[in-house]
Structures are given as structure tokens and as C-alpha cells.
Amino acid sequence: MENPSQNLKTAPLLSLRRFHISEDYGFLLPNPLTELPDHFRPWMEIASELPHLIESHQLQARVNKMPLLNCRFLRGYREQRLAHLVLSVMTMGYVWQRGENQPQEVLPRNLAIPLVEVSRSLGLPPILVHSDLVLTNWTPRNPERPLEIGNLDIIVSFPGGESLRGFILVTVLVEKAAVPGIKALVQAVNAILQCSQNSLLQALQRLKLSIQDITRTLGQMHDYVDPDIFYAVIRIFLSGWKDNPAMPVGLIYEGVSTEPLEYSGGSAAQSTVLHAFDEFLGVCHSKESADFLHRMREYMPPSHKAFIEEIHSGPSLRDHILSSGNGQLLTAYNQCVEALADLRSYHITVVTKYLIIAATKAKGRRPNHLPGPSQALEERGTGGTEVLSFLKSVRDKTLEAILHQSD
Ligand code: HEM
């Protein structure tokens, strides 16, 4: 008979490096590039003027005149990531330049072909994703000083001014606040593999603190992001062309496919952090929520998705705690679950302020004779889900993971 704990001891240990995750920056791309080689100057010139070009409705004309550039001249991973960021923000601007009632349904070949090419190389979809807008879109003003809003800039922007900057940079700081939690998770998995209860207990306590720090950091949204600007300006450029009544059949990528293609918009549901915590803590979501969340994994860099899958196929923390009969471990586990549910409750209050209340206010302000966005669109999130019931279900299912001594 095999001894299961012997098997655990011989399993390879989990490491961040294997999944290209940084010890210092977690899922954030460390030191993202801010410039591309000279060959790509036409892209970078447009990128540097995007807010103005979109607001003055000149972007489409500029993109139509842009030369078709060859992605083979991109040297290495970090240039590809910057190219994906630049081309995908340009795409959002191109599609939504005239607002959500008049989307552009065909992306011209000089933008569509390089976007699809660089997306294939990176294993990402050809649309703006969290790994562009947040993970690749930050740069320190002074690299010697700590990462805080006053010492950070974004690289590529679209309309939304200081609120857009705040929205992106607060999310960057949320990813940074998750770094100790990701490391604690790796420590915990390895502690189970090595049967070290002390190390596991310490890792769970660290994970709880990191989740609480994420919640505190999320609170900075209130200081830097104006809900009316988020709702009326920023949200539109995050919208995708899947489950979106404004673009019911999707977007034609000229030179790539004659059929329209459908992709969801950018959302922090594409951040790897909470997916990793859910898998590690053994949180089980309803089928509908799980279907959406699993689909969002296709919008992550493939190595980050592989990290989530590795945790999923690793040892079960819940089984380990129950079979250990260790009350301290059980308490520490439950505190992580509660902290995660509290984070999700807090996120619901943020979404209520920035989407639900802001939508009601916008409706009240709109003169009757002007057409507004369809009601279906207003009640949906940037990723196209029926927001509040989805988020509450995800929060409630988190709480159901709480373990009882008798389980
Ligand atoms: C103004 C700020 C924010 C708004 C309005 C917002 C809105 C939303 C919406 C509408 C959804 C539903 C899914 C979708 O439609 O895409 C969602 C999901 C989600 N958001 Fe946010 N969000 C905000 C900030 C953040 C931040 C900073 C994070 C942290 C990384 C975050 C993490 C998540 C996660 C993980 C989900 C998936 C559901 C879950 O696992 O609980 N959100 N968000």
C-alpha cells in the first residue's frame, strides 16, 4: 500500500518562477516598457494622443491612414506586451469613438492584422484585457521610491483624465497588495506537500492579512475615481463585443476573418489573484458564475492561467485541514475565507456606487429627447454579466466554504 503523505513529500514544490510570476510584483509585468522600436513610431504617435483623438472624433480617420506594420520587428516579450496594450486601447477607441450608440463594427486591416498577430504570440484575445490596461500599463516616476499613486504614471490612456489614471493605478496597487498573499499561497501549498503544520499556519495568517490589505487598497478608488466620469466615460471604452446588445454580432477584424468575432470587455474578473485564492481555499461557485469566471481565464496570460490550474490540481487544503484535526489551522483557514468574502462584499459596494447609482443619476440627467444607452446595456457590467446577482452569488458561495469542526 502507498503512503499518501509519502507521495506528497515527493511531489515537486510549487514556485512562482515556473509560471513567470514575479516575487516582487506578482502578476504585474515588472518594469513595463514605455517605448517601442522606431519601426512602430506610427502606433506610438497615435497612442500618445489617444484621449484627444477620441474626444475630437479624429481617431478613426488617423487609424485608417496608419501603415500596416509587421509584428516580426517586435523584439521579445515585453515589446509584445506593450504592442498589445497600444493596439488594444486603439481598438477600443476606434470602436467606441462615437459612443455606445454608434459603435464601429469593422476594424480596419492595418489595426486588426497586427493586433491579432501579437495576440496569437502572447496567447491573449484581440481585445483590451486586464493584463494590458493594468498589468502592463504602469511606470514609476522615481524607481527608487515606493509604489504609491503619487509616484506612478500610466503609459497609455483614453478619455477619463485623472479618474482613468486613478482607476488604473488603484488596480495596479491592488495587484501589488496581493503579492504577499500569492507568496503565502505558494508557501502554504509547499507546507502541505512537506507536512509542515507550522509553516502552513503561518502562511494562512499571512494570506488573511494580504486579503485585508487588498480590501483597504480597493478603498482608494473613492479618493481617485469620480463615479460620474467612470460611468459616463471610462466604462464605455472597457466594453466588449460579446453579450453586448450594442454590438450583438461582434466585430469584424478585416483581413483576419470575414465573420464577426465576439470577445468580452476588460474587467478585473480577468485578474488572476482571486481565481488563485478561490482554487486554493476550495471555494465552489454556482455553475453559471463558474462558467463566466472560467471563461475569463482565457483572457489571462497563459502562464498565469496555468498557475491557477496547478493550484487546482495540487493537494486539497480543506481535506488536509479536516484530516489534521488541528483547530488552529481550521480557524486560520476560516479567517481567510471570511476576509475573502469581506473583500467581495466591499467590491459590491464599489460596483453599486460606480455602476448602479451612477447609472440612475445619469438617467435622471439625460434630457428626454436624447437617446441613451439601452436599458439592457446599463444594467450589465463591463464584462456583460448581470452584475449584482452574479457578484452576490460569488460572495455567498465564498462564505459557504467556511469549515465547521464537525465537517
Ligand atoms: C470602479 C471600480 C470597479 C468596478 C466598477 C468593478 C466592476 C465589476 C463588475 C461589473 C464585475 C462583474 C463582472 C463583469 O461584468 O466583468 C466585476 C467583477 C470582478 N471584479 Fe471588479 N470592479 C471594480 C474594481 C475592481 C478591482 C480594483 C478589482 C481587483 C482586482 C476587482 C476585481 C473583480 C473580480 C475578481 C471580479 C469577478 C468576481 C469575483 O471574483 O468576485 N474589481 N467588477
Side-chain angles (χ1 to χ4, degrees), residues 167 171 174 218 221 230 267-269 271 274 292-293 344 347 350-351 354-355 381-385 387 390-391 394:
F167 173 68
T171 315
V174 164
L218 180 58
M221 266 319 155
F230 178 82
S267 159
S271 162
L274 264 63
F292 172 76
L293 289 170
R344 287 191 153 125
H347 176 259
V350 171
V351 174
Y354 284 92
L355 285 180
T382 47
T385 50
V387 179
F390 162 71
L391 293 174
V394 170

Side-chain angles (χ1 to χ4, degrees), residues 9 16 24 36 53 62 66 149-150 184 212 265 276 342 386:
K9 281 186 174 171
L16 291 179
D24 296 323
L36 287 178
L53 289 174
R62 276 287 290 273
M66 194 172 80
I149 295 251
Q212 290 172 335
D342 288 348
E386 269 140 22

Side-chain angles (χ1 to χ4, degrees), residues 244-257:
N244 184 347
M247 284 187 80
V249 294
L251 176 70
I252 293 187
Y253 291 71
E254 212 180 57
V256 176
S257 157

